[in-house]
Short mmCIF file of all heavy atoms in Angstrom, two decimals:
data_model
loop_
_atom_site.label_atom_id
_atom_site.label_comp_id
_atom_site.label_asym_id
_atom_site.label_seq_id
_atom_site.Cartn_x
_atom_site.Cartn_y
_atom_site.Cartn_z
N TYR A 275 -167.83 -267.53 112.01
CA TYR A 275 -167.74 -266.19 111.51
C TYR A 275 -168.93 -265.45 111.89
O TYR A 275 -169.96 -265.85 112.10
CB TYR A 275 -167.65 -266.41 109.98
CG TYR A 275 -166.25 -267.04 109.56
CD1 TYR A 275 -166.28 -268.35 109.08
CD2 TYR A 275 -165.11 -266.25 109.67
CE1 TYR A 275 -165.04 -268.94 108.86
CE2 TYR A 275 -164.03 -266.89 109.40
CZ TYR A 275 -163.90 -268.17 108.97
OH TYR A 275 -162.72 -268.81 108.69
N GLN A 276 -168.81 -264.11 112.01
CA GLN A 276 -169.79 -263.27 112.55
C GLN A 276 -171.09 -263.38 111.72
O GLN A 276 -172.16 -263.25 112.29
CB GLN A 276 -169.31 -261.79 112.67
CG GLN A 276 -168.28 -261.71 113.73
CD GLN A 276 -168.28 -260.38 114.43
OE1 GLN A 276 -169.31 -259.68 114.46
NE2 GLN A 276 -167.19 -259.97 115.03
N ALA A 277 -170.92 -263.32 110.38
CA ALA A 277 -172.08 -263.40 109.44
C ALA A 277 -172.93 -264.61 109.87
O ALA A 277 -174.08 -264.58 109.86
CB ALA A 277 -171.63 -263.35 108.07
N ASP A 278 -172.26 -265.74 110.11
CA ASP A 278 -173.08 -266.97 110.32
C ASP A 278 -173.88 -267.05 111.72
O ASP A 278 -174.93 -267.41 111.76
CB ASP A 278 -172.05 -268.12 110.35
CG ASP A 278 -171.51 -268.40 108.95
OD1 ASP A 278 -172.17 -268.01 108.00
OD2 ASP A 278 -170.60 -269.22 108.82
N ILE A 279 -173.14 -266.47 112.74
CA ILE A 279 -173.85 -266.48 114.02
C ILE A 279 -174.90 -265.56 114.12
O ILE A 279 -176.00 -265.74 114.62
CB ILE A 279 -172.88 -266.27 115.26
CG1 ILE A 279 -173.49 -266.68 116.60
CG2 ILE A 279 -172.13 -265.08 115.27
CD1 ILE A 279 -174.11 -268.07 116.78
N LEU A 280 -174.71 -264.43 113.43
CA LEU A 280 -175.82 -263.32 113.41
C LEU A 280 -176.94 -263.86 112.62
O LEU A 280 -178.25 -263.76 113.17
CB LEU A 280 -175.36 -262.20 112.62
CG LEU A 280 -174.39 -261.14 113.32
CD1 LEU A 280 -173.80 -260.20 112.37
CD2 LEU A 280 -175.17 -260.57 114.48
N GLU A 281 -176.85 -264.66 111.63
CA GLU A 281 -177.92 -265.24 110.91
C GLU A 281 -178.54 -266.34 111.85
O GLU A 281 -179.92 -266.38 111.91
CB GLU A 281 -177.50 -265.87 109.60
CG GLU A 281 -178.67 -266.15 108.65
CD GLU A 281 -177.99 -266.87 107.31
OE1 GLU A 281 -176.72 -266.62 106.97
OE2 GLU A 281 -178.86 -267.49 106.62
N ALA A 282 -177.70 -267.05 112.45
CA ALA A 282 -178.39 -268.24 113.29
C ALA A 282 -179.18 -267.66 114.48
O ALA A 282 -180.24 -268.13 114.71
CB ALA A 282 -177.21 -269.07 113.81
N VAL A 283 -178.73 -266.61 115.13
CA VAL A 283 -179.41 -266.10 116.19
C VAL A 283 -180.69 -265.33 115.73
O VAL A 283 -181.76 -265.49 116.32
CB VAL A 283 -178.44 -264.94 117.03
CG1 VAL A 283 -179.39 -264.36 118.16
CG2 VAL A 283 -177.35 -265.66 117.55
N GLU A 284 -180.58 -264.67 114.69
CA GLU A 284 -181.74 -263.94 114.06
C GLU A 284 -182.82 -264.98 113.81
O GLU A 284 -183.97 -264.78 114.10
CB GLU A 284 -181.34 -263.30 112.67
CG GLU A 284 -182.13 -262.19 112.35
CD GLU A 284 -181.47 -261.40 111.27
OE1 GLU A 284 -180.49 -260.74 111.61
OE2 GLU A 284 -181.87 -261.57 110.10
N TRP A 285 -182.53 -266.13 113.32
CA TRP A 285 -183.43 -267.18 112.96
C TRP A 285 -183.98 -267.96 114.20
O TRP A 285 -185.07 -268.07 114.45
CB TRP A 285 -182.92 -268.10 111.86
CG TRP A 285 -183.94 -269.12 111.40
CD1 TRP A 285 -183.94 -270.44 111.76
CD2 TRP A 285 -185.10 -268.85 110.49
NE1 TRP A 285 -185.04 -271.00 111.13
CE2 TRP A 285 -185.73 -270.12 110.35
CE3 TRP A 285 -185.57 -267.72 109.90
CZ2 TRP A 285 -186.94 -270.15 109.70
CZ3 TRP A 285 -186.69 -267.80 109.13
CH2 TRP A 285 -187.40 -269.00 109.03
N PHE A 286 -183.07 -268.47 115.02
CA PHE A 286 -183.49 -269.32 116.13
C PHE A 286 -183.67 -268.67 117.34
O PHE A 286 -184.23 -269.19 118.38
CB PHE A 286 -182.38 -270.32 116.34
CG PHE A 286 -182.29 -271.41 115.33
CD1 PHE A 286 -181.05 -271.48 114.53
CD2 PHE A 286 -183.16 -272.43 114.84
CE1 PHE A 286 -180.84 -272.42 113.49
CE2 PHE A 286 -182.98 -273.20 113.95
CZ PHE A 286 -181.90 -273.34 113.19
N GLY A 287 -183.14 -267.33 117.54
CA GLY A 287 -183.33 -266.61 118.79
C GLY A 287 -182.14 -266.89 119.71
O GLY A 287 -181.22 -267.59 119.26
N PRO A 288 -182.18 -266.46 121.00
CA PRO A 288 -180.99 -266.53 121.76
C PRO A 288 -180.73 -267.88 122.53
O PRO A 288 -181.03 -268.12 123.53
CB PRO A 288 -181.31 -265.43 122.90
CG PRO A 288 -182.80 -265.50 123.00
CD PRO A 288 -183.41 -265.79 121.56
N LYS A 289 -180.29 -268.81 121.66
CA LYS A 289 -180.07 -270.24 122.12
C LYS A 289 -178.67 -270.48 122.01
O LYS A 289 -178.29 -271.63 122.23
CB LYS A 289 -180.91 -271.16 121.11
CG LYS A 289 -182.28 -271.00 121.06
CD LYS A 289 -183.03 -271.85 120.02
CE LYS A 289 -184.38 -271.61 119.82
NZ LYS A 289 -185.25 -272.23 120.66
N PHE A 290 -177.69 -269.53 121.72
CA PHE A 290 -176.41 -269.97 121.51
C PHE A 290 -175.42 -269.50 122.60
O PHE A 290 -175.54 -268.43 123.03
CB PHE A 290 -175.86 -269.36 120.14
CG PHE A 290 -176.68 -269.89 118.97
CD1 PHE A 290 -177.93 -269.45 118.58
CD2 PHE A 290 -176.21 -270.97 118.22
CE1 PHE A 290 -178.69 -269.91 117.60
CE2 PHE A 290 -177.06 -271.60 117.16
CZ PHE A 290 -178.19 -270.94 116.85
N VAL A 291 -174.35 -270.36 122.86
CA VAL A 291 -173.27 -270.04 123.74
C VAL A 291 -172.08 -270.55 123.10
O VAL A 291 -172.08 -271.64 122.42
CB VAL A 291 -173.41 -270.85 125.16
CG1 VAL A 291 -172.40 -270.54 126.13
CG2 VAL A 291 -174.80 -270.63 125.88
N GLN A 292 -170.91 -269.80 123.04
CA GLN A 292 -169.80 -270.27 122.42
C GLN A 292 -168.76 -270.73 123.48
O GLN A 292 -168.69 -270.16 124.65
CB GLN A 292 -169.16 -268.98 121.69
CG GLN A 292 -167.94 -269.50 120.98
CD GLN A 292 -167.23 -268.50 120.00
OE1 GLN A 292 -166.41 -269.02 119.19
NE2 GLN A 292 -167.52 -267.32 120.33
N ILE A 293 -168.01 -271.76 123.10
CA ILE A 293 -166.90 -272.11 123.95
C ILE A 293 -165.59 -272.26 123.20
O ILE A 293 -165.73 -272.38 122.03
CB ILE A 293 -167.13 -273.50 124.65
CG1 ILE A 293 -167.24 -274.70 123.67
CG2 ILE A 293 -168.35 -273.49 125.67
CD1 ILE A 293 -165.99 -275.35 123.52
N TYR A 294 -164.53 -272.03 123.86
CA TYR A 294 -163.29 -272.20 123.30
C TYR A 294 -162.57 -273.21 124.11
O TYR A 294 -162.52 -273.07 125.35
CB TYR A 294 -162.51 -270.81 123.11
CG TYR A 294 -161.09 -270.89 123.00
CD1 TYR A 294 -160.45 -271.66 122.02
CD2 TYR A 294 -160.22 -270.16 123.89
CE1 TYR A 294 -159.05 -271.64 121.82
CE2 TYR A 294 -158.86 -270.13 123.77
CZ TYR A 294 -158.30 -270.97 122.64
OH TYR A 294 -156.85 -270.97 122.64
N GLY A 295 -161.96 -274.18 123.36
CA GLY A 295 -161.18 -275.15 124.15
C GLY A 295 -160.25 -275.89 123.22
O GLY A 295 -160.23 -275.57 122.08
N GLN A 296 -159.46 -276.84 123.68
CA GLN A 296 -158.79 -277.80 122.92
C GLN A 296 -158.55 -279.00 123.52
O GLN A 296 -158.73 -278.89 124.82
CB GLN A 296 -157.39 -277.03 122.32
CG GLN A 296 -156.49 -276.49 123.39
CD GLN A 296 -155.21 -276.10 122.79
OE1 GLN A 296 -154.18 -276.12 123.52
NE2 GLN A 296 -155.13 -275.49 121.56
N GLY A 297 -158.20 -280.05 122.94
CA GLY A 297 -158.07 -281.35 123.60
C GLY A 297 -157.24 -281.28 124.89
O GLY A 297 -157.63 -281.77 125.88
N GLU A 298 -156.26 -280.29 124.84
CA GLU A 298 -155.33 -280.25 125.96
C GLU A 298 -155.99 -279.38 127.20
O GLU A 298 -155.37 -279.49 128.31
CB GLU A 298 -154.16 -279.27 125.48
CG GLU A 298 -153.26 -280.06 124.50
CD GLU A 298 -153.78 -279.92 122.93
OE1 GLU A 298 -154.94 -279.59 122.73
OE2 GLU A 298 -153.12 -280.27 122.03
N CYS A 299 -157.23 -278.91 126.98
CA CYS A 299 -157.93 -278.21 128.02
C CYS A 299 -159.36 -278.40 127.63
O CYS A 299 -159.91 -277.43 127.22
CB CYS A 299 -157.51 -276.75 128.21
SG CYS A 299 -158.42 -275.99 129.66
N PRO A 300 -159.92 -279.57 127.69
CA PRO A 300 -161.13 -279.96 126.93
C PRO A 300 -162.37 -278.97 127.17
O PRO A 300 -162.86 -279.07 128.34
CB PRO A 300 -161.38 -281.40 127.18
CG PRO A 300 -160.62 -281.70 128.33
CD PRO A 300 -159.38 -280.70 128.45
N MET A 301 -162.71 -278.17 126.30
CA MET A 301 -164.03 -277.40 126.22
C MET A 301 -164.03 -276.40 127.26
O MET A 301 -165.01 -275.85 127.64
CB MET A 301 -165.29 -278.32 126.49
CG MET A 301 -165.31 -279.56 125.64
SD MET A 301 -165.49 -279.16 123.84
CE MET A 301 -167.22 -279.10 123.68
N ALA A 302 -162.79 -276.22 127.93
CA ALA A 302 -162.92 -275.41 129.25
C ALA A 302 -161.96 -274.35 129.31
O ALA A 302 -161.61 -273.73 130.33
CB ALA A 302 -162.58 -276.33 130.39
N ILE A 303 -161.62 -273.60 128.18
CA ILE A 303 -160.78 -272.38 128.20
C ILE A 303 -161.67 -271.12 128.49
O ILE A 303 -161.49 -270.44 129.44
CB ILE A 303 -159.88 -272.25 127.06
CG1 ILE A 303 -158.90 -273.43 126.86
CG2 ILE A 303 -159.03 -270.99 127.13
CD1 ILE A 303 -158.00 -273.47 125.63
N SER A 304 -162.49 -270.86 127.52
CA SER A 304 -163.33 -269.73 127.62
C SER A 304 -164.80 -270.04 127.36
O SER A 304 -165.14 -270.97 126.58
CB SER A 304 -162.80 -268.45 126.98
OG SER A 304 -162.97 -268.69 125.64
N ALA A 305 -165.74 -269.05 127.65
CA ALA A 305 -167.11 -269.09 127.19
C ALA A 305 -167.70 -267.77 126.94
O ALA A 305 -167.34 -266.75 127.70
CB ALA A 305 -167.95 -269.91 128.23
N LEU A 306 -168.41 -267.66 125.94
CA LEU A 306 -169.19 -266.42 125.49
C LEU A 306 -170.62 -266.68 125.89
O LEU A 306 -171.19 -267.57 125.19
CB LEU A 306 -169.05 -266.08 124.02
CG LEU A 306 -169.49 -264.70 123.65
CD1 LEU A 306 -168.88 -263.56 124.20
CD2 LEU A 306 -169.52 -264.74 122.05
N SER A 307 -171.19 -266.02 126.71
CA SER A 307 -172.52 -266.41 127.24
C SER A 307 -173.66 -266.08 126.25
O SER A 307 -173.47 -265.45 125.28
CB SER A 307 -172.77 -265.57 128.61
OG SER A 307 -173.05 -264.25 128.33
#
Side-chain angles (χ1 to χ4, degrees):
Y275 296 106
Q276 294 213 20
D278 288 345
I279 189 63
L280 284 172
E281 195 180 336
V283 175
E284 206 167 284
W285 185 255
F286 293 114
K289 297 175 191 275
F290 295 87
V291 180
Q292 182 177 198
I293 64 95
Y294 159 53
Q296 54 177 206
E298 292 81 348
C299 182
M301 311 297 265
I303 302 178
S304 70
L306 184 70
S307 73

